[in-house]
């Protein structure tokens, strides 16, 4: 506002002359108001509209006024307004090129002259000049008027002195001007004017940036001779200037500390060093020897950002040198140390730099150099970049191929001396304390395997099929085989390991291979075979371009390895422990284990054949003896089927797969493909766990053979038929196999099992489903489940194989722990002490064991340390040796007790882990249930899922469960309710199961009434409705008629059709449930359940209406009576019920409802909320009934109901508004009785004045009451104390003291004085007078 006042005082005459023109157009003036608003969109819109307006009207006075207002607005007091006026001025100058820039510059200088501006407006004037120059620059016309360029630069040079306000903005603006003008203008006009600024280039980053921009833009004007005159040297980057440059760079780094960006001057210096050929000098002396010598902070971060920005500018040799230098090593230390929470992380920025470089670089050699450089940066052998690095998706195929070769070579021959390995400060200190140094080779190989797997798992990587197969073969070979002799057929045998693989590396390879196998299972076709995608065909996963499954290629490769035992040897021979077990077991021990094995299998529904069971004995002591199974001798063989016959079983598996492929050529089926996948997957898992999967493979082959034989039309032999009659069905065995495979810790096996089970669903039998349901049975949770518990070790392996990132995080967390400062040792000691205190507290809290008490007493008695009443001995009578012995005995006793407690905790932890394994196994088995419900929803076998699933839900709802059990329960409930009960496809042929289904319905409804939880009861009720739907079956086909009826309306015949439902029995069941709901105070049933029943089966609703009507008056409580009204209302609103009861039955129903309502509304007390709720529900039913009777003109006498409603006003106290009142008057309106209007009566002021003093304000002290404060103001000072002390005289001295303090406080507070002195309020006056009279009487 002060600026505008100065402006008006200068040009008053001119404004008066133009006021008439401007007053006529307020739209024009509003543009300038919008330019000053803080919203950027509003300002931009105002600029566009202003230019459009000026071009349209083309009036000179308006254009003149525009320039005046815009120049004045450059120094606006509001910071957000200045850019708007500057932008508008620049755009107007760009639109009207006939306006001279020199005139505008003169106006700016004149208006914002620093010499004539008041002191308090200097800051605004400085910004006015700056934004004025910016406006001239934005007009894009500076290059056409060189003298204006000179004037702008001179003005900016004068502004550089005021860094307190403008900082480096003038210099940056000069830099922007240099980017726009041509070299001729610079040489003729600006070179002489800017010599001082160019000569002071080493003072600030902005001035150095100005010189670098001038060198880049005008190389002919700033030749080496000219530079030597300005700076004393013909080059910028030399040994003499390095110290000056580093100081400038440090200043620039600190200036952008909060912005986290790279200063432009640093990148320009780097580009200049490459141009002058002094990159080595700049990098080594300027960055490494100077910038990195500072403490970790802005200078280091600037160096790291400069490294990332320099990647596209460097050659291959320079890239290798930079990526293996000190900057990279310090960057690695930063990455490791920055993993701690709360620390700044620069790694995401570096990932962006590398990603941009790889995306924009087309040279495979440069891409490979960068990838190798970052992969070689290791901390104790483990690379600092993550194994799953998304930047690899930008690699060219040639670079990716070479990178994979480098990874494989580094895995085979780890050359740690070629890596850029570093140790953190903490690690260097701890190296002396560590007895055994961590194996760097193992860490490196673990990372390489994870990186190779991630290249296949990332679908964005541009990989070829040969590369995928090469990586898979490499991982598979080194996971399960060892090269013995080089062979041209097996490329993996030509490369030897410089360091043999240990067990840890083998385990990592095995887990990574099966994770890689899962990735290949989901691998879509590569770009070379994208013809199908171009033709909009369905995308195929898990196959190569020729349609062959990836897993089949790997199996063929494994077949080649098994056929060349001289070149490749399996890495899993018999272990010494296994051999010792074979040698040391006696015949009795073998028979005992065999009997235990038979019991477990037969308990799970499988049969053990005595004729097929074989055994082999090594180093047999008594050759004449035989092993028996339940009294029958078992056949003895010379070679056993385990690892010794793996090759033979493998060949049998390959024959089965070949047979399936041959069959698939004739007729392609999902079942055939699923069996192939299962065979191949189990075959590959033989290399991982042969002892567990050899039997499964044999049973799988038998199942497939029997399934194929069943499909053939050839006659079977008597032996084959007899064998099938004795043994279980092949589907049952297949389900048992799938259950066994689901216990394996593999997501791939889980998915393949789902696929296989989906293909055999049409053949599944009731015993097969029983095997699945037995696993899910909650009653068997406490029983031993050897199949699941045995897989504890594999569960741990699954966790490491499913997510390689967790391994990286663990290593990084280890590195974080090693990076802790030395000061943390004291904290560790404190933590140890706290842990000891916690242990002592736990020991104290635990109940003292009686045996431990007795042992304690014995120890004390042996050492004569137990005081007795006879001798009165105490601890003071013991000598030092006795005390030492006592301490040793007590220490041993407590140590033993502590071990027992730890053993109990370990046992508890083990039980919890076993429960988690069992729960995880059940979650996998739910996959099979979900598949069968979805694929075979119309099968009668689905009905067998109802009770087991309900048992799981009931058990889960009643127990306190963890997150895993909650997930299991949630999924079970989803399968039951959404996929089973609400499915549109259901069993439609139950003629032979009518009695069983009716028994099931009766059982479900009886159980639902005994529950205590309504949420569980809801599932039981839903199951009952599902059973009724199954009993009813499909609706009969409507007769073909010419008339079209609405599709959403069913005929009366269809509504009455109930199929195989025994109406009398089912009605009795639901009638009993409804009666239980209305007669029990706490029932798990709800009104919504019966509402669903009425909506889905209207004929049952008709049969239950009488019971619901009786409950309107006979309900056990008013709540149940109100819910009965709701049920009757929902039933009468149902269109299907109305059609079923059309005619006299409907009229009869309305009469009955009227009688019940009359009886229900005869209430005497409605003060409780329950009674009010009941009356509301009853009135809602009344409203529907009266409205329906009037609309349909039914012959129903409503007069008794009207009388009862009119008398209701005497029992109910109505308010102005509310649900009860609104509903009542809505009903009465149907009878023609309108709600009376209440006239607003103006309250009597006299009555209010008389009632006000009688109101109690609460227990406030006398000094806080309004009467006292008014007395303090109105009465003299001498009377104040007297009047205050009089009422408090009988209450003690404490009251007097508080009164005096309150008086002082009220007098000293002028803010309250105006309130207390107000005498205009008559109520306050009268109140004050009455209080005064009471005081005088006392």
């Amino acid at each position: 506002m002060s600026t505008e006042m100065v402006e008006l005082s200068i040009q008053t005459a001119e404004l008066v002359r133009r006021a008439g023109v401007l007053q006529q157009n307020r739209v024009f003036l509003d543009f300038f108001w919008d330019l000053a608003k803080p919203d950027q969109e509003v300002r931009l819109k105002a600029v566009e509209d202003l230019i459009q307006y000026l071009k349209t009207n083309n009036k000179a006075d308006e254009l003149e006024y525009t320039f005046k207002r815009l120049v004045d607005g450059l120094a606006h007091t509001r910071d957000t307004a200045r850019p708007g006026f500057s932008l508008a001025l620049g755009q107007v100058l760009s639109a009207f090129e006939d306006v001279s820039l020199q005139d505008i510059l003169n106006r700016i200088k004149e208006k914002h002259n620093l010499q004539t501006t008041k002191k308090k407006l200097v800051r605004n004037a400085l910004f006015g000049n700056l934004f004025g120059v910016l406006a001239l620059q934005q007009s894009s016309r500076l290059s056409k008027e060189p003298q204006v360029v000179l004037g702008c630069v001179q003005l900016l040079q004068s502004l550089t002195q005021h860094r307190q306000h403008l900082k480096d903005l003038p210099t940056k603006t000069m830099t922007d001007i240099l980017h726009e003008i041509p070299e001729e203008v610079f040489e003729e006009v600006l070179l002489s004017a800017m010599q001082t600024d160019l000569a002071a280039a080493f003072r600030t980053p902005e001035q150095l940036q100005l010189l670098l921009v001038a060198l880049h833009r005008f190389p002919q004007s700033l030749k080496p001779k000219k530079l030597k005159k300005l700076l004393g040297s013909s080059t910028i980057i030399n040994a003499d200037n390095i110290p000056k440059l580093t100081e400038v760079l440090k200043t620039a780094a600190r200036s952008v500390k909060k912005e986290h960006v790279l200063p432009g001057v640093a990148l320009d210096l780097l580009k200049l060093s490459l141009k002058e050929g002094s990159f080595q000098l700049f990098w080594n002396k300027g960055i490494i020897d100077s910038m990195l010598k500072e403490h970790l902070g802005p200078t280091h971060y600037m160096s790291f950002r400069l490294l990332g920005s320099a990647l596209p500018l460097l050659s291959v040799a320079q890239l290798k040198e930079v990526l293996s230098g000190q900057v990279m090593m310090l960057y690695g230390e930063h990455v490791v140390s920055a993993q701690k929470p709360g620390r700044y992380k620069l790694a995401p920025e570096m990932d962006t730099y590398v990603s941009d470089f790889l995306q924009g670089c087309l040279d495979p050699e440069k891409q490979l150099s960068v990838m190798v450089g970052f992969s070689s940066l290791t901390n104790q052998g483990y690379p600092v970049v993550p194994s799953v690095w998304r930047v690899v998706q930008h690699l060219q195929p040639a670079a990716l191929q070479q990178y994979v070769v480098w990874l494989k070579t580094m895995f085979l021959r780890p050359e740690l001396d070629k890596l850029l390995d570093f140790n953190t400060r903490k690690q260097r200190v701890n190296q002396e304390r560590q007895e055994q140094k961590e194996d760097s080779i193992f860490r490196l190989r673990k990372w390489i395997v994870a990186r190779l797997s991630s290249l296949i798992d990332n679908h964005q990587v541009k990989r070829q099929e040969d590369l995928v197969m090469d990586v898979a073969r490499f991982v598979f070979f080194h996971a399960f085989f060892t090269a013995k002799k080089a062979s041209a057929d097996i490329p993996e045998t030509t490369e030897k390991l410089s360091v043999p693989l240990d067990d840890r590396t083998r385990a990592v390879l095995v887990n990574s291979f099966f994770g890689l196998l899962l990735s290949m299972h989901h691998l879509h076709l590569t770009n070379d075979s994208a013809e199908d995608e171009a033709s909009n065909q369905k995308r195929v996963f898990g196959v190569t371009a020729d349609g062959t499954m990836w897993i089949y290629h790997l199996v063929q490769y494994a077949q080649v390895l098994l056929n060349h035992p001289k070149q490749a040897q399996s890495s899993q021979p018999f272990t010494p422990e296994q051999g010792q077990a074979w040698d040391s077991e006696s015949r009795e021990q073998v028979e005992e284990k065999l009997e235990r094995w038979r019991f477990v299998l037969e308990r799970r529904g499988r049969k053990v054949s005595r004729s097929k069971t074989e055994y082999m004995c090594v180093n047999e002591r008594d050759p004449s003896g035989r092993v028996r199974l339940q009294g029958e001798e078992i056949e003895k063989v010379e070679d056993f089927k385990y690892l010794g016959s793996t090759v033979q079983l493998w060949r049998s598996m390959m024959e089965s797969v070949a047979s399936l492929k041959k069959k698939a050529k004739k007729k392609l089926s999902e079942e055939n493909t699923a069996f192939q996948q299962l065979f191949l997957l189990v075959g590959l898992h033989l290399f991982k766990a042969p002892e567990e999967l050899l039997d499964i493979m044999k049973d799988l082959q038998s199942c497939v053979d029997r399934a194929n034989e069943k499909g053939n039309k050839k006659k079977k032999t008597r032996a084959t038929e007899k064998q099938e009659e004795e043994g279980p069905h092949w589907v049952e065995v297949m389900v048992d196999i799938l259950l066994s495979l689901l216990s394996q810790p593999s997501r791939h096996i889980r998915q393949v099992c789902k696929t296989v089970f989906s293909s055999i669903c049409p053949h599944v039998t009731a015993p097969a489903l029983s095997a699945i349901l037995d696993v899910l049975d909650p009653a068997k949770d406490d029983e031993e489940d050897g199949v699941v518990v045995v897989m504890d070790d594999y569960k741990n392996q699954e966790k490491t194989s499913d997510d390689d990132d967790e391994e990286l995080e663990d290593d990084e967390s280890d590195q974080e722990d090693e990076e802790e400062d030395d000061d943390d040792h004291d904290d560790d000691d404190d933590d140890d002490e706290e842990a000891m205190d916690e242990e002592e507290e736990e020991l104290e809290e635990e109940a003292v064991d009686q045996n431990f008490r007795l042992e304690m007493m014995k120890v004390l008695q042996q050492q004569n340390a137990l005081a007795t009443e006879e001798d009165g001995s105490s601890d003071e009578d013991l000598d030092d040796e006795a005390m030492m012995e006592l301490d040793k005995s007590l220490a041993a006793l407590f140590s033993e007790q502590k071990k027992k407690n730890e053993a109990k905790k370990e046992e508890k932890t083990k039980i919890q882990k076993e429960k988690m394994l069992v729960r995880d196994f059940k979650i996998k088995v739910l996959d099979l249930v979900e598949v069968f419900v979805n694929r075979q929803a119309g099968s009668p076998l689905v009905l067998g899922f109802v009770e087991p699933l309900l048992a799981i839900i009931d058990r889960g709802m009643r127990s306190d469960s963890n997150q895993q059990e909650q997930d299991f329960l949630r999924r079970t409930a989803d399968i039951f309710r959404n996929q089973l009960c609400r499915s549109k496809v259901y069993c439609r042929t139950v003629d032979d199961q009518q009695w069983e289904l009716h028994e099931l319905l009766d059982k479900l409804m009886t159980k639902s009434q005994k529950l205590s939880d309504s949420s569980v009861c809801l599932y039981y009720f839903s199951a009952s409705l599902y059973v009724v739907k199954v009993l009813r079956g499909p609706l009969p086909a409507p007769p073909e008629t010419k008339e079209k009826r609405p599709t959403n309306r069913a005929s009366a015949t269809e509504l009455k059709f109930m199929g195989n439902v025994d109406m009398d029995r089912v009605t009795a069941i639901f009638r009993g449930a409804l009666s239980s709901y209305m007669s029990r105070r706490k029932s798990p049933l709800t009104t919504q359940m019966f509402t669903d029943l009425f909506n889905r089966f209207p004929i049952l609703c008709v049969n239950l209406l009488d019971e619901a009507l009786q409950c309107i008056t006979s309900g056990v409580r008013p709540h149940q009576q109100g819910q009965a009204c709701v049920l009757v209302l929902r039933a009468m609103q149902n269109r299907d019920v109305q059609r079923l009861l059309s005619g006299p039955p409907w009229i009869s129903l309305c009469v009955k409802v009227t009688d019940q309502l009359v009886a229900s509304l005869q209430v005497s007390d409605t003060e409780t909320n329950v009674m009010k709720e009941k009356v509301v529900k009853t009135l809602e039913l009344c409203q529907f009934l009266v409205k329906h009777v009037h609309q349909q003109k039914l012959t129903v006498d409503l007069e008794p109901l009207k009388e009862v409603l009119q008398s209701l006003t005497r029992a109910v106290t109505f308010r102005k508004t509310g649900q009860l009142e609104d509903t009542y008057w809505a009903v009465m309106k149907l009878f023609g009785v309108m709600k009376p209007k209440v006239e607003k009566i103006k309250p009597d002021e006299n009555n209010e004045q008389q009632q006000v003093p009688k109101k109690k304000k609460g227990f406030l002290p006398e000094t806080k009451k309004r009467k006292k404060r008014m007395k303090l103001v109105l009465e003299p000072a001498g009377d104040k104390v007297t009047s205050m002390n009089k009422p408090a005289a009988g209450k003690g001295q404490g009251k007097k003291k508080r009164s005096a303090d309150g008086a002082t406080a009220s007098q000293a507070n002028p803010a309250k004085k105006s309130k207390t002195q107000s005498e205009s309020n008559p109520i306050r006056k009268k109140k004050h007078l009455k209080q005064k009279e009471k005081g005088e009487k006392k």
Side-chain angles (χ1 to χ4, degrees), residues 81-97:
R82 299 171 194 148
F85 284 99
S86 177
L87 176 62
L89 180 58
Q91 296 300 319
V92 171
L93 290 175
S94 178
F96 297 92
E97 296 185 357

Side-chain angles (χ1 to χ4, degrees), residues 1002 1009 1062-1075 1100 1103-1104:
D1002 193 1
Q1009 299 173 42
D1062 186 352
M1063 288 299 297
D1064 295 336
R1065 183 175 181 181
V1066 173
T1067 302
I1069 292 173
F1070 284 105
R1071 187 185 300 275
L1074 181 59
S1075 176
L1100 290 177
N1103 296 341
L1104 297 177

Side-chain angles (χ1 to χ4, degrees), residues 864 871-879 882-883:
N864 297 324
D871 55 5
S873 61
S874 62
D875 294 343
E876 297 179 356
D877 299 332
L878 298 177
D879 56 2
M883 289 295 293

Side-chain angles (χ1 to χ4, degrees), residues 1078-1080 1110-1122 1124:
M1078 294 298 173
S1079 60
R1080 291 176 56 186
Q1110 296 299 325
C1111 293
I1112 293 179
T1113 55
S1114 64
V1116 65
R1117 289 189 305 172
H1119 173 73
Q1120 277 77 8
Q1121 297 175 9

Side-chain angles (χ1 to χ4, degrees), residues 1202 1206 1224-1236:
K1202 181 180 179 181
Q1206 289 177 344
Y1224 173 78
W1225 290 113
V1227 177
M1228 296 305 296
K1229 184 178 180 180
L1230 298 175
F1231 286 106
V1233 180
M1234 304 302 293
K1235 181 178 180 180

Side-chain angles (χ1 to χ4, degrees), residues 467-482:
L467 179 64
V468 175
M469 197 63 203
D470 184 31
V471 172
R473 286 161 57 114
F474 179 83
V475 177
F476 176 78
F477 179 84
H478 293 287
F480 303 109
F481 289 89
T482 304

